[in-house]
């Protein structure tokens, strides 16, 4: 197969678009796809500082790379989750990436905040991924607000978004469907705009991009994610995609075109402010404060039990 742009020997095959590229042209194609998503969806403008949530994995580092190449002003945000060797390695790679390119990076160690993921999960009956999701959302919102940026970008790719959509549809989570969009506008004074510039690019494409650009990312997946339902949905979609290329892309794009506007209309009132921390909350306290309360009371109870 030949490269679609320069007719040299192709090395990266993009099945969903039935095209192939040489390495150099694939990089151009990938960066243009991101640029197009940013413009078409009005994600942010050239004069805004963009906070990029970086885990140290391929997607978020590929995103940070592209934004830098395209000339956007960025600041990285990394949460050290405290999940053993996986977290240490992810933090090291993220810091190395930032140092090498002279990019600003904010790192928050959840262990120092008294809420490393294993601690949070160990003191509640929630699965680790649920506790992790709550902590991540909270710190992303809080740190973006404190930094004073107007936009936060995450590295969610097409596979992530399609899997999430499938999960939401299978359980008809109407309130989640109303918020599944590559651009979420703030509905509270402490929220910033949240965007997903990689939402049209598959996991295969981001992996290929990270490889071609020689990005040193953390290859290991989070040890907690092995049984995650998200992976079951991804696997199911990959099987369909193998037989019917383009399914994932159509599933997501048609939802955004036809389904999202309907669900978004049904969304209820905006959040109020958490009575404890002031961040957005859909109850009296936000999900994170409620999780911390639960953890603190169980921790205290266990300590008392040990003393008696
Ligand atoms: Zn080429
Ligand atoms: Zn709170």
């Amino acid at each position: 197969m030949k490269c679609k742009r320069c007719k040299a020997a192709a090395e990266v095959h993009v099945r969903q678009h039935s095209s192939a590229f040489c390495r150099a042209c694939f990089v151009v194609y990938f960066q243009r796809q991101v640029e197009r998503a940013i413009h078409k969806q009005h994600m942010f403008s050239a004069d805004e500082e963009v906070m990029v949530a970086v885990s140290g994995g391929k997607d978020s580092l590929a995103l940070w790379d592209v934004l830098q190449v395209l000339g956007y002003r960025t600041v990285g945000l990394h949460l050290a989750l405290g999940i053993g060797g996986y977290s240490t390695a992810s933090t090291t790679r993220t810091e190395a990436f930032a140092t090498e390119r002279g990019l600003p990076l904010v790192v928050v160690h959840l262990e120092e905040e008294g809420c490393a993921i294993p601690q949070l999960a160990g003191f509640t009956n929630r699965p680790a991924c649920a506790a992790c999701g709550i902590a991540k959302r909270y710190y992303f919102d809080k740190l973006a607000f404190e930094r004073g940026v107007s936009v936060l970008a995450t590295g969610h790719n097409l596979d992530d978004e399609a899997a999430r959509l499938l999960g939401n549809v299978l359980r008809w989570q109407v309130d989640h469907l109303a918020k599944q969009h590559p651009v979420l506008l703030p509905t509270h004074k402490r929220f910033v705009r949240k965007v997903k510039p990689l939402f049209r690019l598959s996991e295969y494409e981001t992996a290929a991009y990270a490889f071609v650009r020689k990005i040193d990312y953390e290859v290991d997946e989070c040890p907690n994610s092995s049984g995650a339902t998200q992976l079951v949905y991804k696997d199911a979609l990959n099987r369909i995609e193998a037989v019917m290329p383009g399914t994932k892309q159509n599933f997501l794009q048609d939802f955004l075109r036809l389904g999202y506007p309907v669900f978004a209309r049904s969304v209820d009132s905006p959040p109020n402010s958490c009575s404890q921390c002031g961040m957005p909350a859909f109850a009296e306290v936000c999900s994170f404060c409620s999780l911390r309360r639960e953890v603190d009371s169980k921790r205290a109870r266990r300590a008392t039990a040990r003393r008696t």
Side-chain angles (χ1 to χ4, degrees):
M1 226 173 165
K2 285 184 176 164
C3 172
K4 192 184 168 187
R5 289 182 74 237
C6 75
K7 310 297 173 214
E11 280 190 82
V12 187
H13 299 256
V14 183
R15 274 193 76 198
Q16 50 160 331
H17 299 306
S18 16
S19 42
F21 300 97
C22 70
R23 286 188 187 201
C25 292
F26 174 71
V27 168
V28 174
Y29 152 83
F30 190 95
Q31 292 170 348
R32 280 195 184 157
Q33 287 279 319
V34 178
E35 181 79 313
R36 202 172 300 160
I38 294 168
H39 280 292
K40 260 186 106 175
Q41 299 285 337
H42 309 289
M43 291 187 175
F44 44 81
S45 58
D47 54 349
E48 283 180 289
E49 184 183 44
V50 184
M51 192 169 232
V52 188
V54 244
S55 66
K58 63 179 185 327
D59 302 303
S60 54
L61 287 182
L63 172 61
W64 205 5
D65 176 277
V66 177
L67 295 183
Q68 191 201 5
V69 171
L70 294 176
Y72 289 103
R73 199 153 49 90
T74 57
V75 51
L77 168 59
H78 175 76
L79 292 187
L81 303 170
I83 309 174
Y86 161 73
S87 287
T88 320
S90 304
T91 305
T92 307
R93 297 211 197 272
T94 306
E95 287 175 336
F97 182 95
T99 309
E100 218 170 82
R101 296 159 183 244
L103 293 168
L105 172 68
V106 177
V107 180
V108 176
H109 292 267
L110 292 192
E111 204 141 26
E112 290 166 12
E113 304 274 312
C115 56
I117 302 306
Q119 296 170 312
L120 287 184
F123 281 106
T124 70
N125 301 323
R126 300 174 211 229
C129 294
C132 191
I134 292 173
K136 271 187 194 161
R137 271 194 297 279
Y138 175 79
Y139 279 101
F140 285 173
D141 288 336
K142 184 171 173 299
L143 293 156
F145 172 72
E146 285 173 359
R147 172 89 187 182
V149 295
S150 48
V151 59
L152 174 78
T154 55
H156 294 97
N157 59 39
L158 171 63
D159 292 59
D160 297 324
E161 291 306 291
R164 187 170 151 216
L165 176 59
L166 180 59
N168 286 340
V169 165
L170 287 177
R171 279 166 285 136
W172 288 115
Q173 289 185 299
V174 176
D175 47 337
H176 292 186
L177 289 165
K179 289 179 197 163
Q180 181 160 2
H181 196 274
V183 183
L184 273 189
L185 298 175
T187 51
H188 184 279
K189 60 183 191 304
R190 292 201 184 187
F191 268 153
V192 304
R193 196 179 331 126
K194 286 180 198 151
V195 299
K196 298 171 182 173
L198 302 184
F199 81 107
R200 297 198 57 159
L201 290 150
S202 71
E203 200 154 310
Y204 167 77
E205 289 168 281
T206 57
Y209 181 80
F211 175 77
V212 174
R213 291 281 294 157
K214 298 189 173 66
I215 295 172
D216 186 20
Y217 65 86
E218 179 53 32
V219 182
D220 284 347
E221 295 287 333
C222 173
N224 292 333
S225 75
S226 59
T229 45
Q230 185 85 349
L231 294 184
V232 178
Y233 299 145
K234 277 190 180 176
D235 182 50
L237 286 167
N238 282 337
R239 287 187 202 194
I240 303 173
E241 183 79 21
V243 186
M244 292 176 272
T247 299
K248 271 184 242 178
Q249 190 71 258
N250 292 339
F251 181 44
L252 185 66
Q253 292 303 330
D254 289 348
F255 163 74
L256 292 175
R257 197 165 51 88
L258 303 166
Y260 175 78
V262 178
F263 290 105
R265 239 180 278 141
S266 72
V267 82
D268 40 36
S269 48
N272 43 32
S273 303
C274 172
S275 63
Q276 230 162 312
C277 72
M279 290 301 288
F282 288 92
E284 191 236 324
V285 294
C286 71
S287 330
F288 184 71
C289 286
S290 140
L291 176 63
R292 280 205 86 143
R293 260 188 199 175
E294 199 182 320
V295 169
D296 289 344
S297 75
K298 285 197 182 151
R299 206 179 258 160
R301 236 181 291 154
R302 249 184 243 181
T304 327
R306 232 176 279 133
R307 256 182 271 127
T308 49

